[in-house]
Amino acid sequence: MEFAEDLLSALREAERVVVFTGAGVSAESGIPTFRDALTGLWEQYKAEELATEEAFLREPDLVWGWYEWRRLRVMRANPNPAHRAIVALARRIPKMTLVTQNVDDLHERAGSADVIHVHGSLFHPRCHACGQPFALGDEPPVEAEGARWLAPPRCRQCGGPVRPGVVWFGELLPEDQWDRATEATENCSLFLCVGTSSLVYPAAQLPHTAAYRQATVVQVNPHPTALDKVVRHNVVGLAGEAMPQLLAAAWPED
Ligand code: BJW
Ligand code: ZN
């Protein structure tokens, strides 16, 4: 893979970098992207229809079962070369901030620290009624391949239904995570988008903010996205292949 020399020098010289990831960074770990068609029990639905509070209130067992099935898949998956390349990049850049829209924990399991999760996490459910965090057991959420409808557990404090700790459509992003993501974006010289369709706001605003502030905006994605016209460098390829190659090209002595 060939990279423009000014992309490589921008990377080498950057003091502050934001890496902004979406579902595509976990695709090569076997985690379907958000806009992939659902399969199995959920194939008659779209993810957009399940990722709402209304869906949870209407059919809690359907929605909780879907999230627990996804959590099981994540627990059985492993980080891929793209997650590991982002860890390696952090060692090279004086201040790198990792902002992810993903609700999995594959960045952390690859070794990234201080990951900003703007859309929450599959691993931090809470009570829908009172907000009390709910401690998940260590055991896998559902047996073997047993994707199924599952009643949400009840809150140990108030008896309310436990909901996934993710940000659904129509909900506000966690304020602390959003403030940190915005601050890092406004102060970076290079903003690297990896594996996101850049369709969901306000997160999708971040690369536009970076471009407005004169940062070099770079995209790694095998397909066209809403950002194609905004980025200075469009690296067309799979994250698990392009990211390690980008690092090797920027720091060939390693
Ligand atoms: C690879 C690859 C490989 C594949 N390597 N790449 C109209 C205009 C503007 C905004 C709105 C609007 N109507 C409604 C809104 C607001 C709404 C929104 O933005 N909707 C848009 C769809 C239009 N936003 C919200 O509701 C947000 N809240 C909000 O605005 O609050 C204010 C408000 C309050 C009250 C009322 C209204 C507003 C909240 C958004 C929360 C989003 N949450 C989700 C679900 C999380 C839980 C879960 O996972 O179930 O977050 S949605 C979903 O999309 C998920 C993702 O994090 C997010 C982004 O998706 P992502 O990561 O980009 O994945 P994909 O699948 O879209 O793309 C994958 C990409 O990877 C593709 O490009 C592939 O090509 C690529 N790829 N393989 C590299 N190997
Ligand atoms: Zn409660």
Side-chain angles (χ1 to χ4, degrees):
M1 196 172 253
E2 292 282 318
F3 300 99
E5 191 46 47
D6 58 338
L7 164 58
L8 300 178
S9 57
L11 205 49
R12 278 192 292 261
E13 287 157 22
E15 295 276 326
R16 290 169 182 258
V17 169
V18 172
V19 177
F20 176 56
T21 65
V25 82
S26 297
E28 289 154 88
S29 295
I31 307 298
T33 68
F34 196 76
R35 281 165 186 81
D36 279 342
L38 299 186
T39 55
L41 278 181
W42 294 282
E43 68 191 358
Q44 57 185 306
Y45 302 93
K46 284 186 171 162
E48 289 92 327
E49 294 164 2
L50 297 176
T52 66
E53 185 189 32
E54 298 78 64
F56 179 71
L57 293 177
R58 199 173 49 239
E59 293 187 88
D61 299 13
L62 168 71
V63 173
W64 181 258
W66 183 53
Y67 278 97
E68 283 296 85
W69 175 75
R70 288 174 58 196
R71 188 164 70 88
L72 176 65
R73 289 191 69 160
V74 168
M75 288 169 74
R76 294 198 171 149
N78 290 308
N80 68 54
H83 297 105
R84 289 194 286 275
I86 292 167
V87 176
L89 183 62
R91 297 199 187 104
R92 287 287 184 180
I93 306 288
K95 176 104 182 82
M96 193 196 94
T97 305
L98 175 54
V99 179
T100 189
Q101 299 167 84
N102 296 345
V103 295
D104 66 44
D105 62 352
L106 295 178
H107 283 304
E108 284 87 348
R109 282 164 52 202
S112 287
D114 276 337
V115 187
I116 299 176
H117 281 270
V118 289
H119 289 163
S121 161
L122 290 172
F123 295 91
H124 297 109
R126 64 177 187 273
C127 174
H128 179 263
C130 76
Q132 172 81 1
F134 180 82
L136 292 162
D138 291 333
E139 72 285 359
V142 280
E143 290 302 318
E145 299 312 316
R148 60 188 164 95
W149 275 244
L150 204 61
R154 310 305 294 195
C155 171
R156 294 183 182 118
Q157 184 164 274
C158 79
V162 170
R163 59 158 283 175
V166 302
V167 182
W168 283 326
F169 286 110
E171 295 186 322
L172 297 179
L173 275 50
E175 200 178 342
D176 54 335
Q177 308 285 298
W178 180 245
D179 288 349
R180 286 179 60 207
T182 309
E183 199 270 335
T185 300
E186 288 174 346
N187 293 297
C188 72
S189 65
L190 192 143
F191 189 97
L192 176 58
C193 304
V194 187
T196 174
S197 59
S198 294
L199 290 173
V200 177
Y201 283 80
Q205 184 58 42
L206 293 173
H208 295 275
T209 301
Y212 180 74
R213 296 280 189 129
Q214 313 296 326
T216 301
V217 180
V218 184
Q219 168 171 263
V220 176
N221 200 307
H223 300 297
T225 76
L227 271 190
D228 287 359
K229 291 200 172 69
V230 175
V231 300
R232 193 166 313 164
H233 298 283
N234 196 2
V235 178
V236 179
L238 302 174
E241 295 174 4
M243 286 297 294
Q245 288 186 40
L246 180 60
L247 261 81
W251 290 280
E253 68 276 16
D254 281 3

